[in-house]
Amino acid sequence: MITTKNYLQQNFDTSNWPKNLIDGHNFVTGSTLNFKHLEMYDEDSVIKNAIDLHVKQLNEYLATKPSKSTKANTKKVIKQKKVKAPKSKPSNELEVLPIQVTLIKRYIGLHKKSHNRKKIMGLIDAIQKAIFDKRINKNTQYANQIDGMQKKLIKVYNTMLTDKITTIEIELSNYSELKVIADSYGALKSVNLVKRYIAMDGEFNTKEKAQKLYNDIDRFININPKDKYETTLYAIAGELKRFLDGSNSTLTINEVALSGFNFSKYARKALHAGKRATDYVKKGYNKVKPHITNAKAVVKEAAKKSYTKLDEKLAKMQQENLKGVTDLFVKGNQISQEPKGKTIKLQGDIGKFLGELEQNELAITLEGDQGAGKSQLQYQIVNAFADAGLKNGVFTLEMARNTVPNNAFINQYISPTNLPKIEFAEQAPEGIATIRKAAPLFDAIFIDSWGKLKAEKDDFDKLRKDFPNTIFVVIFQRTGAKIIRGGTNPLYDAGINIELFKVDDTFENNYAKTTKNRYGKTGLKYNISKKQLIDENK
C-alpha cells in the first residue's frame, strides 16, 4: 500500500507508467521538494487533494501490475565510506572579499609551482594597481604582508630577467602565515550557489550539473534555514526542478528569482491574492503546476500583463540607450580603404624598423636599460621624420638644449639640412598642459622624459586622442624593478613599443627591439650605434 509517508522509499520505475501517473509523480516530487518540505501538502488543500488523488490512482494501477511494480523493497547493504573531515568554516564569510585578501589568495597559489614571467608580472601589476587606486595603503589591514609579497615578486622577476629564466618554481617562506589569513576569509556559500546558477544560463545538456546544484541547494537550505538569500535559493530550486523534470528543455535564468521578487504591481497583486499563491512565491514557484488550473490561470494572466508592461518599458529604455550608438558602427563592406591619416614611409633601416606609419593617434614609447641609448635612438627618429618632411618639436627635459651631450647628439644624428624642421625646448613650465599647447604646432612631439611632466596615468592616452594628427614619441624611465614610472598604461595605448638593451659598456652592441608594432614587424632588432637592423641569421 503506497502512502505519502512511504512514497519516496519505493524506488519506482516510471518508464512504463501511463502519462497521467508520470505527470502526477513529477508534481508530487516538485511541489514538496522530494517530500523534504511538506508544508505545501499540509497547508494547501488543493495540493493535498491532488497528491492524495495521485496516490490513490497509483495504488489502483499497481494492483493490476503485481509482478512488475510491487517487488519486495529490499535495501542493499552499503559499506560506509570513510568521509574526509570537512574543511573548517571561514571565520569571515563575505559577499565580496577585500582586495588585499584576494591578492593574498592569488599569491599563495604560486607556492611550490612553476610560473613564467608573464604570470608573476601580472600579480605585480595587480598589487601596484590596487596601491595606485588607493584601495591599499599603509593603514590597510595586512598592508605589511602585501608589501612583503610585492618585494618578493619583484626580486623573483628581476632574477628571471638577469639569469634569462623563462619559468621558475617559487617557495614562499611565509606560506603558513598567509594561508591562515586566506583561509579565514570566504565567500558566502549562498552567494556561490547563486553564481553557479547564473553561470548555467542557456547551457544545453546540463542535467548532471543542474541535479548537483539542486542537491547542494537543498542540503544548504536544510542546514541554514535563516540564510540571507533563502528566498532566492528556493526560487532557483524551483527553476532547476522544472528543468530536471523536462518542463523546460533549456535552463534559462529567472530574473524575478534573482531580483528578490520585485515583480510589478500586476503580478504582485495576483500572487498575493491568496495564501496558496503566496507560499508559491516564497518557494520560487511563479507558475503553478497543470493540476492546479485555476491558480495557474491567475498567475499566468498576471505575469503576462506584468511582462508585457516590462517588455514595453525595456524596449523604450533600449531605444533611449541606443540613441547615438548606432551611428558609431559601419558595415564591413562600407569601410573606406583609404587610411584615416597621412601615411609616412621613412627611409633606410630605421624605416624598416618602425614600418609604414599612419599620422592618426600614433604614439611611440621608448624604454629600457640605463645607458642603452634611448636619447640617441630618439634623435635618429627625429632626423628620419624631418627627412619625411615633418615639423618636429623636441622637449629635452632631462638636459639643457645647449649642453655638450645634446649638441653631440645633434651633430652625430641630425643632418644639417633638417635642423630648420626641428625646434628644441628644454622646459615644460606647466607640465602636461605645456605639451597640449604645443601639440597643434607640430607634426611630431618628442619628450625626454615623461616622468618630468608629473602627468596623471590617463594623460598619455588623452594626448594622442585629443591631437590625432600629431605623433608623440616619448621616453619613459624605469623603476628599480624595471617597470616604467607612472604605470604601464602607456604600453597598452601606444601603437609601437620599443625596448632598449645595454649589452656592454662600449655602446657599439646596444640594440633596440620592437616589443609591439601595429605598423610593422614585431621583434625586429636595430643596432643603435651602427644605425642598421640586426640580421639574426648571421
Side-chain angles (χ1 to χ4, degrees):
M1 179 74 177
I2 308 300
T3 67
T4 54
K5 293 183 179 179
N6 65 13
Y7 188 92
L8 293 177
Q9 300 171 8
Q10 302 304 313
N11 299 321
F12 290 123
D13 178 9
T14 63
S15 58
N16 296 319
W17 284 11
K19 187 176 183 304
N20 68 310
L21 289 180
I22 293 175
D23 289 342
H25 177 73
N26 291 337
F27 172 69
V28 170
T29 55
S31 62
T32 62
L33 289 181
N34 286 340
F35 276 109
K36 293 177 182 176
H37 299 281
L38 294 173
E39 55 267 36
M40 298 294 295
Y41 175 82
D42 295 331
E43 297 176 8
D44 193 305
S45 60
V46 176
I47 293 177
K48 184 178 186 303
N49 292 337
I51 292 175
D52 289 344
L53 178 60
H54 167 70
V55 171
K56 179 183 177 183
Q57 292 174 343
L58 179 60
N59 279 313
E60 292 173 353
Y61 171 77
L62 294 178
T64 64
K65 307 281 183 179
S67 60
K68 293 185 178 180
S69 303
T70 59
K71 294 180 181 179
N73 193 17
T74 57
K75 294 185 178 179
K76 294 181 180 179
V77 178
I78 301 173
K79 291 184 179 179
Q80 237 181 350
K81 294 182 180 179
K82 290 184 179 179
V83 181
K84 293 182 180 179
K87 292 182 180 179
S88 58
K89 188 176 181 181
S91 55
N92 301 291
E93 285 192 320
L94 306 171
E95 293 187 42
V96 180
L97 296 181
I99 181 63
Q100 62 269 33
V101 174
T102 301
L103 292 171
I104 290 173
K105 284 179 179 284
R106 285 180 61 183
Y107 181 69
I108 64 175
L110 304 176
H111 186 54
K112 291 188 176 180
K113 296 177 185 175
S114 294
H115 305 282
N116 57 29
R117 281 181 287 188
K118 183 178 179 181
K119 185 165 185 178
I120 294 172
M121 179 51 69
L123 186 49
I124 293 174
D125 283 344
I127 293 173
Q128 292 189 341
K129 186 176 186 303
I131 295 172
F132 187 85
D133 293 341
K134 297 181 180 179
R135 298 173 70 189
I136 296 178
N137 56 52
K138 64 180 181 179
N139 297 320
T140 303
Q141 189 179 18
Y142 308 127
N144 291 335
Q145 287 83 349
I146 296 294
D147 183 56
M149 287 160 47
Q150 181 177 223
K151 290 177 180 177
K152 170 74 173 179
L153 290 169
I154 290 173
K155 183 178 179 181
V156 170
Y157 186 81
N158 287 339
T159 300
M160 295 177 76
L161 286 177
T162 304
D163 299 340
K164 297 182 179 179
I165 302 171
T166 55
T167 61
I168 191 169
E169 183 173 316
I170 300 175
E171 185 165 353
L172 307 177
S173 58
N174 60 341
Y175 173 80
S176 298
E177 174 199 351
L178 296 176
K179 184 76 163 55
V180 171
I181 295 173
D183 290 346
S184 66
Y185 287 85
L188 280 174
K189 182 68 180 297
S190 53
V191 173
N192 285 336
L193 291 171
V194 174
K195 287 181 179 178
R196 284 170 58 188
Y197 171 64
I198 294 171
M200 296 174 68
D201 183 25
E203 290 186 17
F204 288 92
N205 303 318
T206 58
K207 293 281 186 181
E208 185 178 346
K209 289 170 66 176
Q211 185 65 60
K212 187 176 187 312
L213 178 56
Y214 176 84
N215 294 340
D216 290 346
I217 290 175
D218 183 57
R219 185 165 47 250
F220 178 81
I221 291 173
N222 286 326
I223 299 172
N224 305 276
K226 300 297 182 182
D227 186 81
K228 178 179 179 181
Y229 294 104
E230 179 191 15
T231 302
T232 300
L233 293 176
Y234 268 120
I236 292 173
E239 290 298 314
L240 291 169
K241 189 62 181 172
R242 278 187 283 280
F243 174 63
L244 293 169
D245 289 344
S247 301
N248 298 330
S249 60
T250 305
L251 181 62
T252 304
I253 300 308
N254 186 334
E255 295 182 9
V256 177
L258 298 178
S259 65
F261 305 105
N262 289 327
F263 247 168
S264 74
K265 62 181 181 180
Y266 296 101
R268 189 156 47 244
K269 181 178 179 181
L271 291 169
H272 287 277
K275 187 177 186 301
R276 179 174 65 254
T278 304
D279 288 340
Y280 269 102
V281 174
K282 288 181 179 178
K283 292 177 173 56
Y285 296 116
N286 62 336
K287 290 182 180 179
V288 184
K289 291 290 181 176
H291 301 274
I292 315 173
T293 54
N294 291 335
K296 178 181 177 181
V298 172
V299 175
K300 186 176 180 180
E301 184 62 26
K304 183 179 178 182
K305 290 181 180 179
S306 173
Y307 282 124
T308 300
K309 272 195 164 289
L310 185 61
D311 287 343
E312 292 173 356
K313 186 175 180 181
L314 288 174
K316 187 176 180 181
M317 289 172 61
Q318 190 176 25
Q319 287 181 347
E320 291 293 326
N321 290 335
L322 288 178
K323 283 183 179 178
V325 176
T326 51
D327 296 337
L328 298 175
F329 295 92
V330 176
K331 291 181 180 179
N333 60 353
Q334 296 176 348
I335 297 176
S336 172
Q337 297 301 307
E338 293 296 322
K340 193 172 183 179
K342 174 185 175 183
T343 56
I344 302 167
K345 293 183 180 180
L346 305 179
Q347 300 299 314
D349 278 13
I350 191 74
K352 296 176 183 177
F353 180 61
L354 295 176
E356 185 174 341
L357 307 179
E358 183 179 359
Q359 199 169 354
N360 177 49
E361 298 182 3
L362 172 58
I364 303 173
T365 66
L366 306 178
E367 52 116 357
D369 300 334
Q370 186 176 2
K374 293 185 287 294
S375 297
Q376 290 92 325
L377 178 59
Q378 186 187 59
Y379 275 71
Q380 292 181 38
I381 297 174
V382 172
N383 190 59
F385 278 11
D387 280 340
L390 301 185
K391 183 180 179 182
N392 304 277
V394 182
F395 285 89
T396 60
L397 305 180
E398 295 285 349
M399 56 183 172
R401 57 192 167 201
N402 61 341
T403 58
V404 172
N406 193 58
N407 287 330
F409 291 158
I410 292 173
N411 295 331
Q412 185 174 0
Y413 298 112
I414 297 179
S415 302
T417 55
N418 284 335
L419 288 174
K421 305 172 190 173
I422 306 168
E423 299 181 25
F424 296 86
E426 59 186 29
Q427 294 180 0
E430 299 176 68
I432 193 68
T434 300
I435 305 298
R436 295 181 68 85
K437 291 177 181 178
L441 305 177
F442 299 95
D443 296 312
I445 292 285
F446 293 78
I447 304 169
D448 183 6
S449 63
W450 183 260
K452 293 291 184 181
L453 299 175
K454 306 295 181 185
E456 297 294 331
K457 65 176 183 177
D458 295 329
D459 283 339
F460 184 86
D461 195 40
K462 290 179 181 177
L463 202 59
R464 69 184 191 89
K465 291 283 188 182
D466 293 344
F467 303 98
N469 297 324
T470 302
I471 301 172
F472 295 92
V473 183
V474 184
I475 292 178
F476 287 86
Q477 303 295 350
R478 282 177 167 180
T479 65
K482 296 191 176 183
I483 301 171
I484 66 172
R485 297 188 185 279
T488 57
N489 282 7
L491 298 181
Y492 299 103
D493 299 328
I496 302 176
N497 296 330
I498 301 174
E499 187 174 2
L500 288 83
F501 299 87
K502 181 179 180 180
V503 178
D504 51 44
D505 292 332
T506 66
F507 188 71
E508 293 181 0
N509 298 311
N510 292 2
Y511 67 91
K513 179 180 177 181
T514 52
T515 56
K516 181 177 84 172
N517 192 344
R518 294 172 181 160
Y519 304 90
K521 188 175 179 181
T522 298
L524 292 178
K525 294 182 179 180
Y526 177 84
N527 186 294
I528 302 165
S529 174
K530 297 176 183 177
K531 306 179 189 176
Q532 64 185 26
L533 289 171
I534 298 173
D535 188 351
E536 298 278 23
N537 296 321
K538 287 185 179 180

